[in-house]
Amino acid sequence: MRITDKMMFERGNAATAAARGRVADFQNQVSTGLRVQHPGDDPGAASAIVGGALAQSRSDAIVKTAAKAQDDATVADGALQGMTQIVARAQELAVQLSNDTYSPSERASAAKEVDGLHSQMVALLNTSVAGRYLFGGTKDGAPPFDAAGNYSGDTNTKQLEVAPGMLENASLRMDVFAKGSGGGVDILSTLSSLSAAMTSGSSSAIEGMLGAITTGTSQLSTALSQNGVMISSFASAQTLGQLASQQAQKGVADAGDTDMFTAASSLAEASQALQASLSATAQGFKLSLLNYMGG
Amino acid sequence: MADLFSLLTTSSSSLAAQSGATATAGNNIANANTPGYSRQIANIEAMDTAGSSVGVFIGRGAQLTSVTQARDQFIERQLPQAFAQSGSTQAQNKALSSVSALDPQASGSLQSALGAFYSGLRSLSQNAGDVGLRQSAVNATQQLVQSFHVAAGGIEGTRTAIDSDIGATVDKVNADAQGVAALNVQILSSTVNGQRPNELLDKRQKLIDELSTLTGATPYESANGNISLALPGGTTLVNDSHAATLSTVPDATNAGHVSLRILRPDGSGPYALPSTSVGGQLSGDLTARDGALKSTLDSLDSLAFDIGTALNTIASTGVALDGTNGHTLFTLPATSTGAASSLQVNAALTANPSLFPAGQTVGSSGDNTNVLAMMATEQQNLSTSGKPPPATMQLLTATFGSQASQAKAFAEQDGALVDHLGTLRDSASGVSIDEEMINLTKSQRAYQAIAKVITTADSMLQTLLTLKS
């Protein structure tokens, strides 16, 4: 092939430009830490980055939501424990005062304690977190129970996402567990009735309340159990969500981040190639007949 | 005597021939780096012999018969197609690689806004009655809308920039086509006895190369040696001494983007010039603008419209904190056309976030059932793509990425072919200074030798003249 001067200069230009381009590419990868910046750099990886970023965002959000839900359920657990103790004390008083040996004044005094238990029960049923009442179903903007024990919450159960597309109950139906809706006993009414029975001084009436109190205890036990399941479920959601988030983050990094060792070694290689290209180009330019023809 | 005088005459024409060869080598050296220059060759031939007084045929020296260009027609014929193809793919690559709206790791990207929107819904689902979380959800909705605007604006901005590029290209095409037509006239009038003006031929060839790159035009030679050019669709761009004129007009059916028109070399028109009738850079610009970029924008519009519609359908069935219903999240256009740019957050929600329709039960502030239904759209197939929003976003990115990657690969491949053919052309037509220095020395030596012949003939004549005295 016939080699012309223009060819040599243009080849020199093209070769050094290509070598410099490669050096710049690797420098950019090393300095930004990113291998894929434009979708055209690696379409499959770009798609994986988008999917991974969305999955990570979803998992992170689930973890946060589950953490708050677990906090709520933990507060609810404390309240339910308190309610169980109240009912246990009521039961203890009922058993104790169903004995005929107690005087009317002693029974009246016990009735006052039961009234106090009623008030405590109402207070616990109106437990709130940051102004949000936990036992009113989804009607959480106002106390669900009044002083008399009437329920003004709704019959809905709040649900939350614990995994993509999977929902878990996040509230308890206290109209069921405390008020006996659907076949149980109304614990608050039971306490009121117990107080009335004690005031009336009828041992048999007091004794007659024991069955309802036992059922109430059982209802609260079920509520505690369901609440425990919720706590456990939200804890698992956080663990799994964190794992999913880490996995998604790793997927994004694997797809789009620079492998520093490879990039650094490629940068060194490209720099060597540039040096060689510059040297070869300069050598080529030195060789000319002009250098050997005397003036 | 007569032979000695003819020897002087012969030497004179030979000196002129060598002088011409020296000048040609000098011109080649001077133009060694001139773009489009083809090296010239001084063609020296022996003059016809003539009978002499001594009865034998003696040569009459040399003469410069022509100065021609060194061109390899085999290579030259392959170049227009290569220029056209490379012009097209380079333009597409330039357009698609300049789009940053879908960069997967950019901060404030569309997918991060989509993720933030659903995260906002998740936070709200935990405490639906919280006005602060409702405000956050509305903010995330605004961020999503803004990201759609930015992404669509970025792509549409590139399409508009291509319009400007097309306008500038059209101006250049018109100037080049006029140049070819004018040079056809000049070259024809300057051609005498088959001797052609090489510099004008080079200038015309350079313009033809540019026109091939810009429009994909193919040259063809007329019987008189003029070069005419035809566009890929067969429309004549240059016909001998007449050139067509391209122009651009806004196309109302294509969002006001420009389309091409042509006033033909015979003065008829202007007629619409479909994108399929041009090649080269113009074709690449139009293909990128109305192909990959338009389809990406359409997909973005569909994504915005489908997500907006799905969420609005759910939102409109929900109730706000004040118990009112019918509040949508977005204000949407009637169809998906332009949805990514025109989508807006419902102004009522922006003004009063408590209107965010989180629940379905009046009076139950903690009711999150509507938020859960909105969250579920993240897993539900959209009507256009048939895939959920994240997968649609992935598909959109991968599809655009494949188009950009393909354009880049083709541009590199076609650029390499042009480089290769250019090298081959340069090998045939380029100037080698070494070669020209040798040619220069060769003609210098010949000139010196011929001068010696003249000196010898002169000396012989002097000898004859002194015989008489």
Side-chain angles (χ1 to χ4, degrees):
Chain A
M1 183 189 238
R2 188 172 163 274
I3 305 296
T4 68
D5 289 71
K6 193 159 160 255
M7 276 165 71
M8 284 178 57
F9 287 119
E10 285 184 354
R11 275 191 184 180
N13 260 338
T16 51
R20 277 193 197 283
R22 278 174 57 77
V23 170
D25 281 350
F26 289 121
Q27 269 177 340
N28 188 36
Q29 282 189 26
V30 170
S31 60
T32 62
L34 301 177
R35 185 180 66 86
V36 179
Q37 296 184 38
H38 187 272
D41 293 343
D42 186 340
S47 170
I49 291 166
V50 169
L54 283 166
Q56 189 186 353
S57 164
R58 185 170 54 216
S59 297
D60 288 346
I62 288 172
V63 169
K64 278 185 194 170
T65 308
K68 285 182 180 170
Q70 190 185 356
D71 289 347
D72 283 359
T74 305
V75 172
D77 185 73
L80 288 167
Q81 299 277 5
M83 289 177 214
T84 307
Q85 285 169 12
I86 286 169
V87 175
R89 176 61 186 156
Q91 188 175 29
E92 195 180 299
L93 287 172
V95 169
Q96 192 181 341
L97 293 166
S98 61
N99 192 319
D100 287 337
T101 57
Y102 285 91
S103 67
S105 65
E106 284 171 326
R107 284 186 174 144
S109 171
K112 278 187 180 170
E113 186 178 346
V114 172
D115 289 343
L117 292 176
H118 184 277
S119 298
Q120 286 174 43
M121 180 66 94
V122 169
L124 286 172
L125 284 167
N126 285 333
T127 298
S128 67
V129 174
R132 199 159 31 84
Y133 294 88
L134 300 183
F135 298 122
T138 59
K139 199 171 177 180
D140 62 3
F145 293 88
D146 64 15
N150 298 311
Y151 181 68
S152 58
D154 61 25
T155 57
N156 299 327
T157 302
K158 180 174 154 184
Q159 289 192 306
L160 286 175
E161 191 183 36
V162 287
M166 280 182 62
L167 300 178
E168 175 64 62
N169 286 347
S171 70
L172 295 169
R173 287 275 306 270
M174 293 313 281
D175 62 316
V176 172
F177 296 121
K179 295 294 287 178
S181 171
V185 300
D186 182 341
I187 296 172
L188 290 164
S189 294
T190 302
L191 289 177
S192 298
S193 301
L194 179 62
S195 171
M198 285 176 173
T199 306
S200 70
S202 164
S203 302
S204 59
I206 295 170
E207 194 175 354
M209 298 308 300
L210 282 170
I213 291 171
T214 306
T215 306
T217 305
S218 171
Q219 285 172 199
L220 288 175
S221 173
T222 306
L224 260 172
S225 167
Q226 283 192 12
N227 197 58
V229 169
M230 287 188 327
I231 290 173
S232 165
S233 180
F234 290 128
S236 298
Q238 289 173 71
T239 308
L240 293 174
Q242 278 159 356
L243 278 174
S245 173
Q246 284 162 8
Q247 203 166 9
Q249 191 177 20
K250 185 176 180 304
V252 169
D254 286 349
D257 286 1
T258 301
D259 175 349
M260 280 300 173
F261 291 110
T262 309
S265 113
S266 298
L267 177 59
E269 206 174 272
S271 301
Q272 292 268 348
L274 174 60
Q275 272 186 346
S277 171
L278 290 171
S279 169
T281 304
Q283 288 294 329
F285 291 164
K286 279 182 191 169
L287 294 171
S288 169
L289 194 56
L290 287 170
N291 300 328
Y292 302 97
M293 294 182 75
Chain B
M1 281 293 283
D3 282 340
L4 282 176
F5 279 120
S6 81
L7 186 60
L8 285 174
T9 311
T10 301
S11 298
S12 163
S13 71
S14 300
L15 274 180
Q18 295 307 326
S19 176
T22 306
T24 304
N27 188 45
N28 282 340
I29 290 169
N31 286 290
N33 292 325
T34 304
Y37 179 80
S38 293
R39 80 186 156 98
Q40 295 175 8
I41 300 167
N43 299 303
I44 296 174
E45 289 180 10
M47 290 182 75
D48 293 341
T49 55
S52 76
S53 59
V54 293
V56 293
F57 288 99
I58 297 175
R60 293 196 301 158
Q63 65 175 347
L64 182 65
T65 56
S66 63
V67 177
T68 53
Q69 291 184 310
R71 284 188 184 275
D72 185 333
Q73 290 306 317
F74 176 71
I75 304 297
E76 299 284 345
R77 283 183 191 283
Q78 294 180 63
L79 277 163
Q81 175 64 27
F83 281 139
Q85 192 61 30
S86 176
S88 175
T89 50
Q90 298 280 359
Q92 287 182 62
N93 180 39
K94 180 181 151 192
L96 300 190
S97 63
S98 71
V99 173
S100 60
L102 298 174
D103 286 359
Q105 312 216 61
S107 58
S109 62
L110 180 57
Q111 75 266 13
S112 65
L114 189 63
F117 169 75
Y118 281 107
S119 295
L121 291 182
R122 286 190 170 86
S123 294
L124 181 59
S125 73
Q126 199 275 327
N127 184 2
D130 189 288
V131 177
L133 290 177
R134 284 169 183 256
Q135 177 70 63
S136 297
V138 171
N139 290 348
T141 312
Q142 277 176 320
Q143 190 191 336
L144 178 62
V145 165
Q146 187 65 23
S147 292
F148 268 119
H149 289 183
V150 169
I155 295 170
E156 189 55 32
T158 305
R159 296 185 78 211
T160 305
I162 290 175
D163 284 344
S164 304
D165 211 24
I166 289 172
T169 304
V170 161
D171 290 345
K172 193 154 176 35
V173 168
N174 289 337
D176 286 358
Q178 292 289 347
V180 170
L183 283 164
N184 274 339
V185 175
Q186 270 187 281
I187 289 167
L188 195 59
S189 64
S190 305
T191 301
V192 180
N193 294 331
Q195 301 293 314
R196 309 183 79 187
N198 292 326
E199 277 68 23
L200 296 183
L201 291 176
D202 283 342
K203 280 185 184 172
R204 186 176 68 183
Q205 187 58 50
K206 190 164 173 284
L207 294 179
I208 290 168
D209 288 351
E210 278 180 1
L211 284 170
S212 295
T213 305
L214 297 175
T215 67
T218 313
Y220 57 96
E221 195 167 352
S222 311
N224 60 6
N226 277 350
I227 299 285
S228 296
L229 290 158
L231 294 172
T235 308
T236 304
L237 183 63
V238 175
N239 186 17
D240 279 351
S241 58
H242 296 95
T245 305
L246 301 189
S247 58
T248 58
V249 285
D251 182 356
T253 64
N254 191 12
H257 290 290
V258 297
S259 62
L260 294 173
R261 292 169 79 79
I262 185 167
L263 186 67
R264 290 185 177 157
D266 62 7
S268 63
Y271 301 108
L273 186 64
S275 60
T276 49
S277 293
V278 290
Q281 189 179 313
L282 279 178
S283 164
D285 277 339
L286 290 167
T287 304
R289 189 194 71 184
D290 299 335
L293 293 176
K294 176 75 167 62
S295 65
T296 304
L297 195 57
D298 287 346
S299 299
L300 210 55
D301 282 340
S302 296
L303 177 64
F305 186 76
D306 290 350
I307 287 180
T309 305
L311 288 164
N312 273 356
T313 304
I314 295 165
S316 60
T317 64
V319 294
L321 264 186
D322 64 2
T324 56
N325 58 16
H327 303 290
T328 57
L329 293 195
F330 303 100
T331 305
L332 284 169
T335 65
S336 67
T337 307
S341 308
S342 58
L343 176 82
Q344 294 291 347
V345 180
N346 181 356
L349 292 192
T350 313
N352 182 7
S354 69
L355 294 181
F356 195 98
Q360 291 177 342
T361 310
V362 175
S364 293
S365 58
D367 180 12
N368 66 358
T369 45
N370 222 36
V371 178
L372 292 177
M374 289 182 200
M375 283 161 52
T377 61
E378 196 181 19
Q379 314 283 326
Q380 291 163 358
N381 292 342
L382 296 173
S383 58
T384 305
S385 66
K387 294 176 187 303
T392 305
M393 192 67 228
Q394 280 185 268
L395 182 66
L396 198 155
T397 307
T399 304
F400 174 72
S402 297
Q403 288 164 327
S405 172
Q406 197 176 45
K408 187 180 176 190
F410 284 161
E412 284 173 357
Q413 186 181 321
D414 294 334
L417 178 62
V418 165
D419 285 349
H420 177 64
L421 289 173
T423 301
L424 290 178
R425 174 197 256 185
D426 218 32
S427 177
S429 304
V431 175
S432 160
I433 290 182
D434 289 348
E435 203 174 271
E436 298 305 330
M437 288 304 294
I438 290 168
N439 287 340
L440 204 60
T441 308
K442 192 168 73 179
S443 53
Q444 184 191 8
R445 292 279 164 85
Y447 193 94
Q448 285 170 340
I450 294 163
K452 185 70 181 169
V453 170
I454 292 171
T455 313
T456 306
D458 183 50
S459 172
M460 288 166 75
L461 274 170
Q462 287 293 332
T463 305
L464 281 177
L465 288 171
T466 51
L467 281 177
K468 196 175 179 183
S469 59

